[in-house]
Amino acid sequence: QNSVEVQIKAVNLKEDENVKLKYYVNNKLIQQKEIHLPAGSFNRTVRLSNILAKVGLNNIQIEIDAVDKEDNILNNKYTFVQTVMSSRIRIGLFSGAPSHESKFISFLLKKNEDFEIHDFVEKKSGQFFEQTNLNALNEMEVIFFCGYPGRFTNVNTLNQIVNYLQQNQPSLIVYLNEHTNLQKLLQIRSWLPYEQLPAKIKSREILVDNPLTTSLNPILFVFDQKDINNEFYSKLPPITIHYSGGLLRDGVKSMLSGSDSKNHFPIILLNEQKNFRSVVLN
């Protein structure tokens, strides 16, 4: 969106006033509009269009002139930071089978207006529902595997995705669940944080460790306030995992872990290499 809406309110004006509304991007005046304020009370929404913000982080400032004998001028200026992207981030979400998890992840990602989601949900024939083809794969900036590759994943389809990973190095997220086929997952071994893949186990519930007791990755800040974060993780219910063991590569970061009465399990693993970045969620 190339516009900003500003709400202007005034109460108990003694007489009509004409003021200027100014719009700054990175301390540069971009626009100004003259606003007529009638005597009494005033409430109006003004749209500023063609804001000309550059791609990246921008410091935005909205400012309106003070009127004569104004009681409070502190709220005449508002500053915020805006991230401008050249286009929405395109994410290819691949699911080895229809599941509540993949549907929820898709729903959650689509709520973010910065993302453009392409769903690839497999059926038993190895084809995708809704006759989805792989033409859109060539534009994906993030590949998200949810229980993928699965039992029915077509070898040719997987090879096409692997070739795209090799040539374009998009970010990769792998969500391991009961639909994941470990044998087929070996085809993307070089992107995974494992020297040796974990073994599939009978699903079990574990308690999540409070990540604030160790070094905290920014991705785990669900809330801005540290104490609220601490309370959130301390009250998380048990989660279900499907894989255990495995051998991690050097330099892999375990961002979140959990345990049962006997064993400790990594839950979120980050693998950052020179040419790509991948995250695995158990």
Side-chain angles (χ1 to χ4, degrees), residues 14-49:
K14 303 300 182 185
E15 56 187 28
D16 289 7
E17 298 276 359
N18 289 314
V19 296
K20 287 182 179 179
L21 177 68
K22 300 174 183 177
Y23 181 91
Y24 297 84
V25 176
N26 300 323
N27 297 318
K28 181 180 179 181
L29 179 63
I30 302 298
Q31 264 186 79
Q32 62 180 7
K33 285 189 174 184
E34 188 163 297
I35 308 295
H36 176 71
L37 306 179
S41 296
F42 176 85
N43 189 346
R44 177 184 167 191
T45 298
V46 177
R47 178 183 289 272
L48 299 170
S49 57

Side-chain angles (χ1 to χ4, degrees), residues 149-154 158 181-188:
R151 176 183 174 189
F152 303 106
T153 297
N154 184 289
L158 185 56
N181 184 291
L182 286 179
Q183 194 62 37
K184 294 176 181 178
L185 194 65
L186 287 173
Q187 285 194 241
I188 62 164

Side-chain angles (χ1 to χ4, degrees), residues 162-175:
V162 170
N163 289 336
Y164 184 76
L165 288 170
Q166 291 172 336
Q167 294 172 16
N168 298 278
Q169 285 101 33
S171 297
L172 175 66
I173 302 173
V174 180
Y175 189 109

Side-chain angles (χ1 to χ4, degrees), residues 192-194 214-220 248-257 266-273 277-281:
L192 299 177
Y194 303 102
T214 58
S215 57
L216 181 62
N217 189 289
I219 198 173
L220 299 181
L248 298 182
R249 297 181 188 275
D250 292 338
V252 168
K253 300 175 184 176
S254 178
M255 296 195 295
L256 192 67
S257 60
I267 299 172
I268 302 179
L269 294 167
L270 176 63
N271 182 26
E272 293 182 294
Q273 301 298 328
R277 173 185 294 174
S278 67
V279 175
V280 169
L281 302 97

Side-chain angles (χ1 to χ4, degrees), residues 1-5 47 51 80-91 105-118 141:
Q1 295 181 348
N2 198 20
S3 63
V4 170
E5 286 189 349
R47 178 183 289 272
I51 62 175
F80 62 97
V81 175
Q82 180 188 57
T83 302
V84 177
M85 301 185 299
S86 57
S87 63
R88 293 193 292 173
I89 298 172
R90 294 177 289 273
I91 302 176
I105 291 170
S106 177
F107 171 78
L108 189 66
L109 294 175
K110 287 175 180 175
K111 294 289 285 184
N112 189 321
E113 62 182 16
D114 294 336
F115 298 156
E116 179 182 311
I117 311 303
H118 295 258
E141 299 165 83

Side-chain angles (χ1 to χ4, degrees), residues 101 144 173-177 193-194 198 204-211 219-220 233 236-245 248 252-260 263-271 278-282:
E101 288 170 316
F144 197 136
I173 302 173
V174 180
Y175 189 109
L176 300 173
N177 67 14
Y194 303 102
R204 69 180 68 179
E205 291 188 337
I206 66 170
L207 289 174
V208 176
D209 298 332
N210 189 330
I219 198 173
L220 299 181
Y233 282 104
L236 276 181
I239 66 168
T240 303
I241 66 165
H242 299 274
Y243 296 85
S244 177
L248 298 182
V252 168
K253 300 175 184 176
S254 178
M255 296 195 295
L256 192 67
S257 60
S259 56
D260 60 13
N263 302 296
H264 202 71
F265 305 91
I267 299 172
I268 302 179
L269 294 167
L270 176 63
N271 182 26
S278 67
V279 175
V280 169
L281 302 97
N282 186 7

